[in-house]
Amino acid sequence: MTPTPQSLSGLWPFIRPYRWQVACAGLFLVLAAGTTLAFPWALRTLIDQGLVEGANADVLATKFVELFLVAVALAIFSAARFYTVSWLGEKITVDVKNKVYAHVLQQSPTFFETTQSGEVLSRLSSDATLIQTVVGSSLSMGLRNLVMGVGAMAMLVWTNPWLMFQVMAVLALVVFPSVYLGRRVRRLSRASQDRAADSSALASEVLNAISVVQSYTAEGRETQRFADSTAQALGTSLRRVRARSLLVGFIIVASSAALLWGLYMGALSVRAGTTTAGELGQTVVYVILLASAFAVLGEVYGDVLRAAGATERLMELLHTRSDVRSPDHPQHAPWLVNGSSLVLRDVNFNYPSRPTQQALNGLCGEVQAGQTVAIVGPSGAGKTTLFSLLMRFYAPQHGEVLLDGVPIAQMDLSDLRQRIGVVPQEPVVFSGSVMDNIRYGKPDATDKEVHAAAEAAFAHEFIAELPQGYDTAVGRDGLTLSGGQAQRVGLARAIYGQPKFVVLDEPSSSLDQAGEQQLIDMVTALKKQGVTFVLMTHRKNLIEVADKALVLRDGVQQSFGSRDEVMATLMLQAGGA
Ligand code: ADP
């Protein structure tokens, strides 16, 4: 579908808060255009009254002063217009960007499976820049020229209707071809923006995996792949540029024809004595204004269409609705004293991208408050998938998950997620201080709370030895933590808000033996304080801590029950095999 200027109406909600500024900009715009229109009139009186034979020098000087005053007024109004309009452009673009970013951050993982982050980034940068160009300059240029064109036309009709009629006839010849070419520009604009987004997506994927790319010495191939992709984008852009150049050239030829025709007719009537020189001067400037207004409007129309395409894409992004959302009337689960309870009721799930493959099939089980459950199974069994369902990143197609007696689909998403402390498989370290990293989920936590959590997670010791202790910068702009250290920081982050429910996804994978023992000590200690743990693991030592165990294979529940029972059956099966 090709965008139409109406697509810009998607920006209306972003413009509405600034209606006073818009009114101001409109006022300055009209004033500036009006002053421009006063120029030819001042010029005419200058020529007819100041330049005629016998006119005295004072009259001439006064006329020049008048002309200068018009120029000063024009300068003031134009500067004010430029300021207000650019201000609006910047403001509105930033608002659009922030809104889109906030919206994207709330999407479920399904969204990110189908939309690459590079594409989102391209939307945020190049599409938003296009909107800024249009709102912050092209649109005002367009409006100014519209007012000026209409004004010049009115003045021409008033002063010289017959000439005006002829000029209009020539200009009409400009309009039809421009509309045709304009359509073509519009179609190609959207295509070229899409190609640009493709190459950004490609680059971001490769940059995220740069070490893999380099270890396979694939830099050359990746460079080529990027070059192929940009070449495609270039091809489309060049076709757009060609269409646009044709449009611009055509408009200039046609409008000059109109101008020269007007000039010629005017010159003839001055020779015949039916018009004064001043009137001719005035008419010429009005025709120039009119013709240049037409030319600019053609240019601006192209920009407006590009921005319409950009707006459409951003609005598409804004209107994608995450398939997991908080219900309209969420149910609040009671806070249990001794941990959290978890119930799985016939949970069936397949990833939206793989509709035919069941990732989880008929999971049932109950974990009472304060109990710890180990989810055991080989890799690919569905442990991480179960974790994603608990966090409600995805919704099961069938069955339900209850936390503290309430189906999680009925809970407010942030309420649900705040109840759960999470340690993901890959420890994540954000750039910032260690302190900020630990209190990521609750930025207003006190230092004391953070220290306590770090101590419980056996992280305090190594943090204290860092150059600036808790204030040491880590992550991208600072020190790099080892896998085990990052894991401990992740543990501290998960437990410092004193959640009743903690999920550890393969927590010991980056811990050495001592680290694993510390982890077990931590879990045992927190269990005593009434924390329910879900441990996704295949480490035997860690399973020992659990009260219950759920064994998964290929998404199917093999057994669920008390740990000893389950482990005994597993042993038997292993022995029998
Ligand atoms: P585990 O954590 O036990 O190693 P997972 O839960 O990661 O297992 O994976 C279970 C199954 O779901 C695997 O077959 C895996 O290929 C598939 N899977 C995991 N994530 C996705 C995804 N985002 N989209 C489609 N399939 C997935």
Side-chain angles (χ1 to χ4, degrees):
M1 213 183 69
T2 48
T4 58
Q6 281 89 36
S7 312
L8 282 180
S9 65
L11 291 178
W12 181 236
F14 294 94
I15 297 176
R16 205 163 26 208
Y18 302 113
R19 46 188 176 278
W20 286 110
Q21 285 89 337
V22 170
C24 256
L27 179 69
F28 289 130
L29 196 137
V30 170
L31 285 175
T35 332
T36 313
L37 289 172
F39 242 116
W41 166 83
L43 187 70
R44 190 195 73 194
T45 57
L46 171 81
I47 296 175
D48 283 351
Q49 293 168 27
L51 287 183
V52 286
E53 278 173 46
N56 83 28
D58 284 353
V59 175
L60 189 64
T62 322
K63 291 294 161 195
F64 269 99
V65 170
E66 272 175 24
L67 214 53
F68 180 67
L69 288 181
V70 174
V72 170
L74 179 63
I76 292 173
F77 296 142
S78 298
R81 173 193 57 85
F82 178 77
Y83 179 79
T84 43
V85 170
S86 308
W87 184 92
L88 275 171
E90 304 277 344
K91 271 287 205 193
I92 289 170
T93 315
V94 166
D95 289 354
V96 170
K97 275 191 192 184
N98 291 346
K99 180 99 185 268
V100 171
Y101 186 63
H103 185 73
V104 166
L105 286 195
Q106 286 172 1
Q107 297 304 305
S108 74
T110 315
F111 172 85
F112 296 98
E113 278 165 22
T114 50
T115 316
Q116 283 164 309
S117 58
E119 191 183 329
V120 174
L121 288 180
S122 157
R123 298 257 185 274
L124 281 178
S125 57
S126 57
D127 285 350
T129 312
L130 266 180
I131 293 183
Q132 181 178 350
T133 315
V134 163
V135 178
S137 92
S138 303
L139 213 57
S140 95
M141 229 158 70
L143 283 177
R144 181 164 50 105
N145 279 283
L146 192 70
V147 174
M148 243 160 53
V150 170
M153 210 186 292
M155 291 303 283
L156 280 173
V157 171
W158 186 41
T159 53
N160 208 333
W162 171 229
L163 181 63
M164 181 56 215
F165 174 73
Q166 296 174 27
V167 171
M168 282 313 288
V170 181
L171 284 180
L173 291 180
V174 187
V175 171
F176 294 108
S178 316
V179 168
Y180 167 75
L181 280 173
R183 257 198 216 130
R184 199 173 145 68
V185 170
R186 192 192 318 174
R187 249 197 330 271
L188 290 169
S189 294
R190 167 135 204 186
S192 82
Q193 287 296 112
D194 282 350
R195 293 291 85 73
D198 288 348
S199 54
S200 304
L202 180 70
S204 115
E205 183 190 280
V206 169
L207 290 179
N208 280 330
I210 188 66
S211 51
V212 180
V213 171
Q214 289 180 347
S215 54
Y216 284 92
T217 58
E219 298 95 327
R221 259 180 298 140
E222 289 302 346
T223 310
Q224 190 52 46
R225 213 150 69 95
F226 186 72
D228 290 345
S229 163
T230 46
Q232 274 217 340
L234 180 69
T236 326
S237 294
L238 286 184
R239 271 191 293 158
R240 174 177 61 76
V241 171
R242 270 198 295 276
R244 182 108 185 240
S245 323
L246 218 67
L247 185 63
V248 171
F250 179 78
I251 289 176
I252 292 179
V253 167
S255 44
S256 317
L259 168 68
L260 292 175
W261 179 254
L263 196 56
Y264 177 62
M265 297 310 283
L268 284 186
S269 62
V270 174
R271 270 169 67 110
T274 46
T275 344
T276 66
E279 275 165 7
L280 175 62
Q282 179 185 12
T283 307
V284 167
V285 181
Y286 278 134
V287 174
I288 291 179
L289 282 182
L290 182 62
S292 72
F294 256 78
V296 171
L297 283 176
E299 276 274 306
V300 163
Y301 191 59
D303 278 345
V304 166
L305 291 177
R306 292 181 67 194
T311 310
E312 223 169 63
R313 281 187 303 273
L314 284 173
M315 294 306 132
E316 255 169 41
L317 208 55
L318 263 186
H319 293 141
T320 44
R321 298 257 283 163
S322 182
D323 41 8
V324 278
R325 287 188 299 272
S326 292
D328 292 334
H329 305 287
Q331 225 173 311
H332 189 76
W335 286 97
L336 307 183
V337 196
N338 54 341
S340 250
S341 72
L342 175 72
V343 176
L344 301 175
R345 265 191 208 146
D346 195 20
V347 173
N348 282 273
F349 175 71
N350 60 269
Y351 282 97
S353 54
R354 287 195 195 167
T356 53
Q357 194 199 343
Q358 284 279 328
L360 291 177
N361 201 342
L363 260 51
C364 289
E366 181 172 357
V367 183
Q368 274 127 31
Q371 283 188 328
T372 286
V373 60
I375 315 271
V376 191
S379 107
K383 302 184 294 288
T384 306
T385 307
L386 179 58
F387 161 71
S388 300
L389 292 189
L390 284 181
M391 294 302 284
R392 209 161 161 249
F393 292 140
Y394 296 95
Q397 278 83 17
H398 182 77
E400 56 183 2
V401 179
L402 285 81
L403 188 71
D404 297 335
V406 175
I408 58 172
Q410 307 294 325
M411 290 170 76
D412 185 69
L413 267 188
S414 51
D415 176 26
L416 168 71
R417 291 175 185 169
Q418 272 165 10
R419 281 167 185 256
I420 306 180
V422 171
V423 184
Q425 223 169 76
E426 290 294 323
V428 175
V429 177
F430 295 98
S431 38
S433 67
V434 177
M435 181 71 90
D436 294 339
N437 257 287
I438 297 180
R439 59 175 164 209
Y440 186 75
K442 209 171 94 186
D444 54 356
T446 62
D447 292 5
K448 228 174 108 190
E449 284 177 278
V450 172
H451 292 177
E455 251 163 63
F458 296 94
H460 182 75
E461 213 169 296
F462 92 81
I463 295 173
E465 284 169 13
L466 292 176
Q468 280 102 34
Y470 280 86
D471 295 325
T472 311
V474 290
R476 205 181 51 204
D477 305 326
L479 211 90
T480 305
L481 296 181
S482 76
Q485 291 172 333
Q487 186 69 280
R488 288 186 179 87
V489 168
L491 281 171
R493 179 190 296 148
I495 60 171
Y496 94 92
Q498 299 180 332
K500 297 279 183 201
F501 191 82
V502 178
V503 184
L504 306 176
D505 191 2
E506 312 262 6
S508 47
S509 53
S510 47
L511 294 178
D512 55 16
Q513 203 126 54
E516 187 180 281
Q517 189 51 50
Q518 288 174 343
L519 179 75
I520 291 169
D521 293 347
M522 180 193 98
V523 172
T524 320
L526 288 174
K527 257 182 73 174
K528 289 209 184 92
Q529 297 170 24
V531 177
T532 300
F533 278 95
V534 175
L535 305 167
M536 323 254 174
T537 185
H538 48 255
R539 296 273 191 119
K540 199 163 166 294
N541 292 344
L542 211 56
I543 300 175
E544 291 291 320
V545 192
D547 307 300
K548 288 190 162 176
L550 191 159
V551 181
L552 279 179
R553 178 161 297 152
D554 296 330
V556 181
Q557 181 170 332
Q558 304 287 305
S559 52
F560 178 76
S562 80
R563 182 202 61 218
D564 292 337
E565 269 167 40
V566 170
M567 289 338 260
T569 11
L570 271 190
M571 296 291 207
L572 269 182
Q573 282 172 357

